[in-house]
Amino acid sequence: MIRKAGQDDCQNLAALSLQVWLHTYATQGLRDKISQYALATFTEGHYQQLIDASGHEILLFIENNHLVGFVVIDLDSRFKGGVGGYEIARLYVSEHFHGRGIGRALIEEAKLQYGLPCWLSVWVENHSAIAFYRKLGFEQIGNVEFNLEGELHENHVYSLGRSEV
């Protein structure tokens, strides 16, 4: 089942975010910058603010009353290269549920509710995510850098239903 997030979902959103983010980015283990970022960013308060903020939506994938995936949509964000459309700011699915169509279902629901075009960024070393987005028809349109406490990490930018502004 896919539904919009409410305030009661924020604790589970924070916990799932930590699980997915650490699994994806702490591939060589933990160090201070990684731990500090994750613990400061993925909090209940962070998700409470997103739910309350205009221009943001969070769609949840619930299975057997458990949160197994979600997508954060920033309806006001635009890629600097001129691509219109909203940003898929985060798409997280628990690793235990990969390969079951949950990420695809969340993207399809976002398209159904908010249309196209949309864009997102992916860490260049996240090969499984890159393959997933390409399989869905996303095309690379640029690069951005993610700043992790002064360390710059390259990300590819992908778009679906691309539109020049």
Side-chain angles (χ1 to χ4, degrees):
M1 170 180 80
I2 296 177
R3 66 170 173 83
K4 288 189 179 183
Q7 292 295 332
D8 291 345
D9 298 305
C10 292
Q11 180 172 298
N12 290 332
L13 283 164
L16 182 57
S17 295
L18 283 169
Q19 178 192 56
V20 172
W21 197 87
L22 291 172
H23 176 79
T24 303
Y25 298 104
T27 58
Q28 297 177 351
L30 293 171
R31 56 190 170 88
D32 288 345
K33 287 184 180 186
I34 291 170
S35 296
Q36 288 168 355
Y37 175 83
L39 292 173
T41 302
F42 302 117
T43 65
E44 277 187 78
H46 170 74
Y47 286 103
Q48 289 168 345
Q49 289 176 347
L50 283 180
I51 288 169
D52 287 343
S54 64
H56 283 87
E57 295 289 346
I58 303 175
L59 301 175
L60 310 178
F61 194 102
I62 306 292
E63 185 172 290
N64 297 320
N65 295 316
H66 291 81
L67 175 64
V68 298
F70 69 92
V71 61
V72 176
I73 297 167
D74 184 343
L75 295 166
D76 298 328
S77 181
R78 300 292 183 267
F79 178 58
K80 67 182 180 182
V83 173
Y86 57 90
E87 178 184 7
I88 295 174
R90 191 162 286 123
L91 175 64
Y92 285 175
V93 175
S94 172
E95 64 188 280
H96 304 293
F97 294 85
H98 285 188
R100 296 185 41 201
I102 293 168
R104 176 186 296 273
L106 287 164
I107 295 284
E108 289 301 319
E109 186 65 24
K111 287 169 39 182
L112 182 67
Q113 291 194 31
Y114 308 106
L116 289 175
C118 62
W119 68 278
L120 51 82
S121 64
V122 181
W123 179 40
V124 298
E125 296 299 322
N126 192 346
H127 302 292
S128 62
I130 290 169
F132 168 75
Y133 292 122
R134 286 185 174 162
K135 185 176 179 180
L136 294 181
F138 282 81
E139 298 176 0
Q140 185 178 349
I141 57 166
N143 295 304
V144 293
E145 290 182 330
F146 173 73
N147 188 336
L148 177 66
E149 307 288 325
E151 296 176 4
L152 299 179
H153 299 271
E154 185 179 4
N155 285 282
H156 293 311
V157 176
Y158 291 90
S159 177
L160 184 64
R162 185 171 145 169
S163 169
E164 298 301 324
V165 178

